[in-house]
């Protein structure tokens, strides 16, 4: 029994170590990620959606709708008064993209950025967010929790490359 437990522990620890070493940041600041096999919430009936037009146009509205649809689902709770509970897949990444969206909306309203520049940057951020859903992102989420400024978050998301 002890030998079986020892073998199991060594297999689990080596798998965890190899994943950590493969997803760590390189010296040049680029982060590589490995694709994950299953999707959480993939069997949910009701999905999230983005409401209303976006200030940057219909393309950003459609991308944000896809982003909401991929990251948000509703799960029915049991009991006498069952309700639908909102669940977010990878909430740290979800919040980072939402924070950058609010940041660019405010910058655009104040005139701190051109519409074309905000459009291009926001489109890139949403595409990264959509792609991150399909990858193991524990290291990315840990790093995003530490970052507070929108510029730092955007720079970090730009450094991510996919395998």
């Amino acid at each position: 029994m002890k030998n079986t437990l020892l073998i199991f522990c060594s297999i689990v620890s080596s798998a965890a170590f190899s994943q950590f070493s493969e997803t760590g940041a390189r010296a040049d600041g680029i982060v590589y990620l490995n694709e994950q096999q299953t999707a959480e919430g993939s069997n949910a009936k009701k999905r999230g959606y983005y409401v209303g037009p976006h200030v940057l146009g219909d393309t950003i509205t459609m991308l944000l709708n896809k982003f909401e649809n991929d990251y948000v689902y509703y799960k029915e709770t049991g009991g006498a008064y069952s309700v639908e509970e909102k669940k977010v897949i990878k909430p740290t990444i979800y919040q980072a993209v939402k924070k950058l969206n609010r940041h660019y909306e405010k910058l655009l309203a104040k005139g701190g950025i051109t519409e074309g520049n905000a459009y291009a940057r926001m489109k890139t951020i949403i595409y990264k967010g959509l792609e991150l859903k399909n990858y193991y992102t524990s290291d990315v989420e840990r790093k995003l929790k530490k970052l507070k400024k929108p510029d730092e978050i955007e720079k970090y998301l730009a450094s991510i490359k996919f395998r």
Side-chain angles (χ1 to χ4, degrees):
M1 181 66 181
K2 287 182 181 180
N3 291 339
T4 306
L5 184 60
L6 183 62
I7 292 171
F8 176 75
C9 290
S10 66
I11 291 171
V12 170
S13 65
S14 67
F17 178 73
S18 65
Q19 177 64 33
F20 177 75
S21 63
E22 289 176 9
T23 61
R26 293 182 0 178
D28 57 2
I30 296 174
V31 178
Y32 287 97
L33 301 174
N34 292 326
E35 197 165 357
Q36 77 184 18
Q37 303 301 318
T38 60
E40 181 181 346
S42 59
N43 59 355
K45 294 178 182 173
K46 185 176 176 186
R47 306 297 295 192
Y49 54 90
Y50 182 77
V51 178
H54 196 273
V55 295
L56 293 173
D58 291 340
T59 305
I60 298 296
T61 302
M62 290 186 306
L63 285 172
L64 281 172
N65 189 41
K66 171 117 176 78
F67 181 78
E68 288 285 330
N69 194 2
D70 284 0
Y71 274 85
V72 177
Y73 66 97
Y74 293 88
K75 184 177 181 182
E76 195 168 311
T77 60
Y81 301 104
S82 67
V83 294
E84 290 181 336
E85 184 179 358
K86 180 180 179 179
K87 297 283 189 176
V88 178
I89 300 168
K90 301 185 181 191
T92 307
I93 295 169
Y94 178 80
Q95 291 300 327
V97 172
K98 298 296 270 182
K99 184 175 191 171
L100 289 170
N101 182 38
R102 287 189 303 272
H103 174 68
Y104 285 121
E105 286 177 346
K106 288 178 187 178
L107 273 179
L108 195 60
K110 292 179 182 178
I113 193 171
T114 65
E115 188 173 337
N117 192 8
Y119 173 83
R121 290 165 78 175
M122 196 63 219
K123 188 175 175 182
T124 303
I125 290 164
I126 296 171
Y127 277 129
K128 286 278 182 162
L130 287 169
E131 193 69 26
L132 281 169
K133 181 185 172 277
N134 302 321
Y135 287 83
Y136 292 107
T137 57
S138 57
D139 294 339
V140 172
E141 292 177 61
R142 221 173 298 125
K143 177 73 173 178
L144 282 174
K145 281 183 182 180
K146 294 177 185 176
L147 301 175
K148 301 297 179 201
K149 295 180 182 178
D151 295 334
E152 294 173 347
I153 294 170
E154 182 181 4
K155 184 178 178 182
Y156 180 70
L157 288 176
S159 72
I160 296 172
K161 303 291 181 207
F162 301 100
R163 289 186 185 183

